[in-house]
Amino acid sequence: MSAATILSLPDQSTARIPKMNFITKENGLLSWLLTSDHKRIATLYLISITFFFFIGGALAGLIRLELLTPQSDLMAADTYNKVFSMHGLIMVFFFLVPSVPATIGNFLVPMMVGAKDLALPKINLLSWYLYVIAGIMMIYTMAVGGVDTGWTFTTPLSTHYLNTHVVSAALSVFVAGFSSILTGLNFIVTIHKMRCPGMTWFRLPLFLWSNYAAAILMVLGTPVLAITLTLVALERVFHIGVFDPAFGGDPLLFQHLFWFYSHPAVYIMILPGFGVISEVVSTFSRKRVFGYTAVAFSSVAIAVFAFFVWAHHMFIMGISNYAALVFSLLTMMVAVPSAIKIFNWSFTLYKGSVTFETPMLYSIGFMGLFTIGGMTGVFLGSTGTDIHLTETYFVVAHFHFVMVGGMLMAFLSGIHFWWPKWTGRMYPEKISQLAALITFIGFNLTFFPQFILGTLGMPRRYAAYPPEFQVLNVFSTAGATVLGVGYLLPILYLTWSLKYGAIAGDNPWQATGLEWQTQSPPLTENFAEIPIMDHEAYDYEWLEKQNRARQQQEEVV
C-alpha cells in the first residue's frame, strides 16, 4: 500500500463534528484516571500545570504589588521571602520544566513518529501521578508556612534556619524529579524504537530532535538534583554535616551539585520550546526549515554543553579565578548553537510565504524575547560584569526573558498551533491575535525596566528599596497587570472553543507532519493503519501532491 493511500485514509474534506475526547457518561472520570492513552495523559497534564501556573502567577502578583512602593508595607519581610520562594518553586518545577514535554510532547511524540502510543504507556500515567503527588506536597508546604530560602534551597540557610519547611518542599521536588525522569525515558525509548517505516533520523520533525535532547538532560541531570535535595533534608533532620559548615560541611559543594542540574534544567525548559518554534515557523512560511541538519544537531550540542557551564552561577561564591575563566568561556560557547536556531529560523522566514496566524505571532514574540534574554546572558557569563549584576534585578529580568518570555511564548504558540488537532475545534482568531499582542507588550513593560533597575544596582529578593527606583517598579507592576490579561484571555477563549468553536478539519494549517494526517481529535490508536514516511520533513511539495490526488479522488466519486 502506498504512503499516499495510507495517509489519505481520514477524509480531510469531511465537515463532520468530531467526537470530543473528553468526559461523557460513557467515558467517565475513572477511565481518565486509569487511562494509558498518551493524548488523555497530555490533557491531564495540561489541566494540572495550568492550575499550578495560576498559583505561581498569583504569587507573582503579590510580589509586584509589594514592590509598587519602596516600603515593605503590604507584607512583612519574612512573608515576602516566602512568597518569592514559593513562586519560584512552583513556576520552575511545576510549570516551566513539564510545560511543553509533559503536555504537547506527550500528545505529539507518538503521532510524529507514526506510533500508536508511547513505548511505556503505564509508566507515562505513573509520571502524571507522581507529578500530582509532588504538587500536593508543595501545596501542603505552602499551607503550613512555606519556604523562604529561595527556589534554590540555598545552604546553609536551608539546612540550619528553623523558620522554613525545607524538608517537605525538597521531598516535593524530589518526587517531581522522578516524574520528569520517567517522561524523558519514555521519549527516548519511543523515538529510538517506535519510528514508523521510512522515518529515519533525518526525517524526524525538529520538535522530536528538541524533545530528544531535553529527555537526555532529564534522565542524566535530574538524579543529581534528587540526591542533592535528599542530602539537604537528611542534614536538616540529622545534622550529618554535608553542606552546613556548623557541622563540618561545605556550602560550596551544594552550589556545585545544585547548579550541575539547575543550569541544564534551563535547557530542559527551553529545548522543547525550540522544537515548537521550528514547526510553527516552517508551517506559516511554507518552507522547509533552513539548515535542518544544523538546527537538529544544535539541539544535541546544547544538551552536551549544558553540563559544562554550571559554575557561571558561582563567580561570587569563592571559586578560583582559573575556574571562573574556563566556565566563562564555556558559557559563551553554549550561546553558539542557540544562535544557530535564531539565524536559521530567520532565514526560513526570508522569502517565505509568511502568514501571521496566532501561533506565528507567539513564535515571532518568542524569537524577539529569547534573543534579548540570550544576549543579556552574555553579560552574566562574563566574570567582570557578573560580579556587579548577579545579585541585582538584571538577573531577574534575564531569567524571565529566557524562561517566561521564551518558554511561555513557545508553549502558547504550540497550544494554539495544535489545539485544532487536540480538540477538533478552532478558536476565535482575532481575539487570540490580540492576546498574543497584549502578552508581548505586557511582558516587555514588566521585565525590561528590571534590566535598568539591575544596572543601577537594585538588589533582588528585597521587599523594600530606595525611593529612586520606584518609577521603574511602577512600570513593572503595571506591565504585570497587562501581562496577566494576556495570559487570562487564552484560558477563556480556548475553553469557549471546546463547545462553540468552528470545526477544525484534520489539517487546518496545511502542515506536513504525520500528526496532521489523522483525524481531529485523533483516533485512540492515532492511525487507522501504520503510516509510511516516504518524504523529507517539511516537504510542502509532497503535501500539495497529496492534496491534488485527494481532490481528483473526490471528483471521481
Side-chain angles (χ1 to χ4, degrees), residues 41-291:
I41 294 171
T43 302
L44 292 173
Y45 263 118
L46 181 62
I47 295 169
S48 303
I49 71 162
T50 301
F51 171 75
F52 283 105
F53 172 76
F54 278 100
I55 292 178
L59 294 171
L62 290 175
I63 294 169
R64 289 313 323 163
L65 286 174
E66 175 61 82
L67 296 176
L68 191 60
T69 59
Q71 299 80 24
S72 178
D73 47 15
L74 179 64
M75 60 187 91
D78 60 340
T79 303
Y80 179 81
N81 294 343
K82 293 177 179 179
V83 168
F84 76 71
S85 298
M86 297 306 301
H87 163 72
L89 283 167
I90 289 172
M91 294 300 275
V92 170
F93 295 110
F94 294 93
F95 179 75
L96 291 172
V97 169
S99 57
V100 173
T103 57
I104 301 173
N106 241 322
F107 183 79
L108 289 176
V109 167
M111 286 191 284
M112 282 189 165
V113 300
K116 294 180 179 180
D117 207 321
L118 286 169
L120 307 167
K122 292 183 180 179
I123 295 295
N124 192 26
L125 179 61
L126 175 61
S127 71
W128 177 72
Y129 273 107
L130 289 174
Y131 173 87
V132 172
I133 292 169
I136 292 171
M137 294 170 68
M138 189 58 71
I139 292 174
Y140 164 79
T141 301
M142 188 165 61
V144 296
V147 175
D148 61 0
T149 62
W151 73 272
T152 58
F153 293 99
T154 302
T155 57
L157 188 62
S158 60
T159 56
H160 183 69
Y161 185 52
L162 298 178
N163 188 30
T164 188
H165 297 273
V166 168
V167 174
S168 59
L171 290 176
S172 171
V173 175
F174 180 89
V175 175
F178 274 95
S179 172
S180 181
I181 291 169
L182 294 179
T183 298
L185 178 65
N186 233 333
F187 286 1
I188 291 171
V189 177
T190 301
I191 294 171
H192 266 281
K193 307 299 288 186
M194 299 186 69
R195 302 192 307 275
C196 67
M199 179 68 81
T200 63
W201 280 96
F202 291 101
R203 287 180 175 175
L204 288 176
L206 290 168
F207 181 82
L208 293 182
W209 277 98
S210 294
N211 276 272
Y212 181 80
I216 292 173
L217 293 173
M218 293 178 195
V219 172
L220 297 181
T222 310
V224 178
L225 176 69
I227 293 168
T228 305
L229 293 182
T230 300
L231 290 173
V232 167
L234 290 174
E235 178 159 321
R236 185 172 179 84
V237 175
F238 299 110
H239 309 304
I240 59 177
V242 180
F243 305 126
D244 193 338
F247 305 113
D250 183 1
L252 199 61
L253 174 61
F254 172 83
Q255 295 291 328
H256 280 291
L257 292 174
F258 183 86
W259 290 114
F260 182 81
Y261 162 80
S262 293
H263 194 81
V266 171
Y267 300 108
I268 291 174
M269 302 174 209
I270 205 68
L271 273 167
F274 288 156
V276 170
I277 304 307
S278 294
E279 302 300 317
V280 172
V281 166
S282 173
T283 298
F284 294 107
S285 357
R286 314 307 298 170
K287 285 176 63 181
R288 192 171 192 259
V289 174
F290 180 85

Side-chain angles (χ1 to χ4, degrees), residues 2-14:
S2 69
T5 303
I6 294 173
L7 294 176
S8 63
L9 282 172
D11 184 0
Q12 297 186 28
S13 65
T14 304

Side-chain angles (χ1 to χ4, degrees), residues 416-453:
H416 285 81
F417 185 56
W418 283 290
W419 189 258
K421 176 57 60 180
W422 205 318
T423 66
R425 300 280 183 168
M426 297 299 295
Y427 44 80
E429 182 68 20
K430 296 298 182 183
I431 297 176
S432 60
Q433 289 175 327
L434 177 64
L437 183 62
I438 290 173
T439 301
F440 184 80
I441 294 172
F443 182 87
N444 279 284
L445 186 58
T446 302
F447 292 105
F448 200 88
Q450 295 178 15
F451 283 125
I452 304 172
L453 286 168

Side-chain angles (χ1 to χ4, degrees), residues 4 18 115 154 198 200 206 226 275-276 279 303-304 343-344 349 353 368 403 431 460 483 489 531:
T154 302
T200 63
L206 290 168
V276 170
E279 302 300 317
V304 173
F343 280 115
N344 285 30
L349 294 171
S353 299
M403 289 294 96
I431 297 176
R460 53 187 173 134
L483 186 60
L489 281 175

